[in-house]
Amino acid sequence: MSMPLPADDFATSGPDAEAFHLSAAWFETWRRAYLVPGTATSKIGGLPMIADRGKLGPIGYARFRAQTNVHSALFDIPVGEPIADGLFDALRDGRDVVTIDYVTGQSRLMAAARGWPAHRVAIRPHARSPMADCRMSYQQWLALRSKRARQRWSGLERKATGEIGMTFELLDGHTGLQPLLDEIFAVEQSGWKGREGTSIRDNPSDLLFYTEIARRAAAMGMLRIAVLKRAGRIVAFEYGILGGDRLFLLKVGYDEQFADLSVGHVLAVMHIRHCCGDPAIAWYDNMGNGMTPAAYKLRFNDVVDTLYRITLYGDTWRGRLVQYYDAGRDRAKRARDHWRGRSVQTT
């Protein structure tokens, strides 16, 4: 189900120090993990940007892009940073194209972008994040699920915590952080991600990022790692970081030995129950890195927040060429979606 999104629900709340995903600590860690040494970076109007080259076929062009990738949460102008009147021109200065990803429709950056010249700016959906609304009580949240889901989750939890003796814990990393990370990374690698070589441990950059960002978040009181244990061993985990009033779930995993018990679902429900009782958390954000969220994430959502890509085109022949190309792709996609929709209606 979905609900309307009040304009102030997803804006960064509180002082900038509370918005960990927009802090210097976050971006310093991100750069250490993912930037090739020597890559040019700059901060423009509070926005950490990368200067590099893009390519359209054989044609290269000068580009600015946000310091984001699939491991990012949200991107925005920090609350403590004023929105510069000349931000549009500052971003485009000397560049053919500027791309900024992971921007919410209710962010400060989006508010600024909507006032920029429409003939030089494109705002496109980039990803969708399913979220559980934790501003209500857990019983209210649970009542919004289907009867079938409520019965199934209740039965699974009784079996996990009763018959099998599993226990729920929420850890903040103040003590024993490295052994905790070692264990949850091993759990993730033991499953399909390990078989496909896409687990955190399989990528040195990811291992550096998720280890260091956990240390920094723990030091700032922003780390939340929920675990389900059996006989003292972790069988499922949710690795989260609090940013503003959202709990971003950066990684989740479970021991496939307990797949029949759906321990990942059991842990999610128990974690949401805890979040509903935590006044610091308004949203349990499953995060999304594409336009089609994983089906399991949608089982717990109350809203799906759309994240956008903002593209600025320079007043250069290369900038105009990329803009024409992107506009053509947009028209082709709309036509494809239109005819797919007609095909579905006639079958």
Side-chain angles (χ1 to χ4, degrees):
M1 65 183 68
S2 64
M3 299 187 297
L5 305 181
D8 62 348
D9 275 353
F10 303 115
T12 303
S13 62
D16 183 39
E18 294 182 2
F20 179 72
H21 59 290
L22 302 179
S23 69
W26 176 282
F27 289 108
E28 286 168 7
T29 304
W30 189 94
R31 286 191 292 271
R32 284 187 59 207
Y34 296 116
L35 280 194
V36 175
T39 301
T41 64
S42 60
K43 196 170 185 179
I44 302 174
L47 300 174
M49 304 294 292
I50 300 167
D52 64 5
R53 302 284 296 179
K55 290 199 72 175
L56 181 59
I59 299 172
Y61 56 87
R63 178 178 63 178
F64 261 149
R65 58 186 175 91
Q67 292 181 25
T68 56
N69 64 2
V70 296
H71 305 285
S72 298
L74 304 179
F75 194 77
D76 196 8
I77 302 169
V79 168
E81 189 84 31
I83 301 176
D85 292 337
L87 181 57
F88 172 75
D89 292 327
L91 286 167
R92 292 201 313 161
D93 185 28
R95 299 291 150 183
D96 300 309
V97 178
V98 180
T99 58
I100 305 173
D101 297 332
Y102 297 97
V103 182
T104 70
Q106 296 76 25
S107 65
R108 300 178 76 219
L109 180 55
M110 183 63 76
R114 287 181 176 133
W116 294 340
H119 68 289
R120 283 289 176 257
V121 177
I123 299 173
R124 301 178 176 92
H126 178 66
R128 300 173 73 233
S129 286
M131 303 191 299
D133 187 349
C134 299
R135 298 172 299 176
M136 64 184 84
S137 72
Y138 172 72
Q139 290 303 323
Q140 289 172 318
W141 178 85
L142 190 63
L144 293 173
R145 309 310 112 191
S146 69
K147 181 178 180 181
R148 179 179 180 182
R150 294 197 304 269
Q151 291 176 338
R152 180 170 183 269
W153 292 339
S154 177
L156 289 171
E157 185 175 340
R158 282 197 305 271
K159 184 172 183 180
T161 60
E163 295 178 29
I164 302 179
M166 293 183 180
T167 56
F168 170 87
E169 292 183 30
L170 187 65
L171 307 168
D172 59 14
H174 283 167
T175 60
L177 178 58
Q178 191 57 53
L180 171 61
L181 294 177
D182 290 342
E183 188 170 3
I184 66 173
F185 294 164
V187 169
E188 186 203 32
Q189 191 178 41
S190 70
W192 64 269
K193 289 185 180 180
R195 292 191 294 273
E196 294 185 359
T198 59
S199 74
I200 291 172
R201 278 184 162 181
D202 292 313
N203 186 312
S205 294
D206 291 349
L207 184 60
L208 170 61
F209 177 74
Y210 284 100
T211 300
E212 183 61 23
I213 208 70
R215 289 174 181 161
R216 293 192 174 212
M220 297 173 68
M222 300 299 176
L223 184 66
R224 305 285 190 277
I225 298 181
V227 298
L228 200 59
K229 289 185 175 182
R230 179 175 184 267
R233 182 173 66 87
I234 294 174
V235 298
F237 73 90
E238 293 191 337
Y239 174 132
I241 284 180
L242 187 61
D245 59 3
R246 290 200 199 197
L247 180 68
F248 297 103
L249 296 185
L250 272 64
K251 287 291 179 180
V252 301
Y254 65 91
D255 186 335
E256 292 184 351
Q257 176 184 346
F258 300 98
D260 290 345
L261 192 57
S262 297
V263 288
H265 290 189
V266 173
L267 177 58
V269 172
M270 297 176 82
H271 196 182
I272 290 171
R273 180 185 301 147
H274 185 278
C275 290
C276 286
D278 186 338
I281 299 174
W283 302 97
Y284 167 99
D285 190 335
N286 260 305
M287 302 182 62
N289 292 312
M291 290 302 294
T292 306
Y296 80 88
K297 295 182 178 182
L298 295 172
R299 291 186 173 94
F300 310 105
N301 82 290
D302 295 294
V303 298
V304 179
D305 190 21
T306 300
L307 310 183
Y308 295 89
R309 168 176 290 169
I310 302 172
T311 307
L312 287 63
Y313 300 97
D315 290 318
T316 64
W317 71 267
R318 290 181 177 85
R320 290 190 290 272
L321 180 64
V322 175
Q323 185 174 14
Y324 294 149
Y325 176 79
D326 288 348
R329 289 183 60 186
D330 289 344
R331 287 192 293 271
K333 182 180 184 304
R334 286 195 297 269
R336 183 181 69 242
D337 292 345
H338 171 75
W339 286 109
R340 282 179 177 174
R342 286 177 61 98
S343 175
V344 169
Q345 291 174 5
T346 57
T347 58

